[in-house]
């Protein structure tokens, strides 16, 4: 029980120090890997299929998670005010 709690704490600290883009990539990768493992395992009935599905799903989820992060562009206008725009 204590090892699991320590592992969750370390994972939270690692994700807590990331940018929003990196957090979304990590979350997307984790969700994609889980879904890919489930689909690959059910489709092939083997551990190798689950492993391949997890790898493909993890990469796809990380790419999609990173690319769906809203991008902000900020600058200082001529009056000294900071202006930010969000782009998709």
């Amino acid at each position: 029980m204590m090892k699991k709690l320590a592992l969750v704490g370390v994972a939270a600290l690692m994700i807590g120090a990331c940018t929003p883009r990196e957090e979304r990539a990590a979350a997307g990768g984790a969700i994609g890997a889980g879904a890919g493992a489930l689909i690959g395992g059910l489709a092939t009935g083997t551990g190798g299929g689950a492993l391949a599905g997890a790898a493909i799903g993890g990469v796809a989820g990380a790419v999609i998670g990173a690319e769906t992060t809203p991008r902000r562009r900020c600058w200082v206008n001529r009056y000294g005010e900071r202006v930010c725009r969000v782009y998709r």
Side-chain angles (χ1 to χ4, degrees), residues 10-62:
V10 169
L13 286 174
M14 288 173 56
I15 291 178
C18 296
T19 65
R21 183 177 176 112
E22 292 167 344
E23 287 176 5
R24 288 179 70 120
I31 292 169
L38 183 66
I39 293 169
L42 290 174
T44 63
T46 64
L51 194 61
I56 293 168
V59 170

Side-chain angles (χ1 to χ4, degrees), residues 5 9 12 17 20-21 24 32 35 37 39 45 47 76-77 87:
L5 186 61
R21 183 177 176 112
R24 288 179 70 120
I39 293 169
V76 177
N77 64 13
Y87 298 97

Side-chain angles (χ1 to χ4, degrees), residues 1-2 13 23 27 29 35-36 40-41 46 49-50 53 59-61 64 75-76 80-81 83:
M1 177 67 178
M2 194 58 122
L13 286 174
E23 287 176 5
T46 64
V59 170
I64 291 170
W75 65 92
V76 177
E81 301 168 329
V83 180

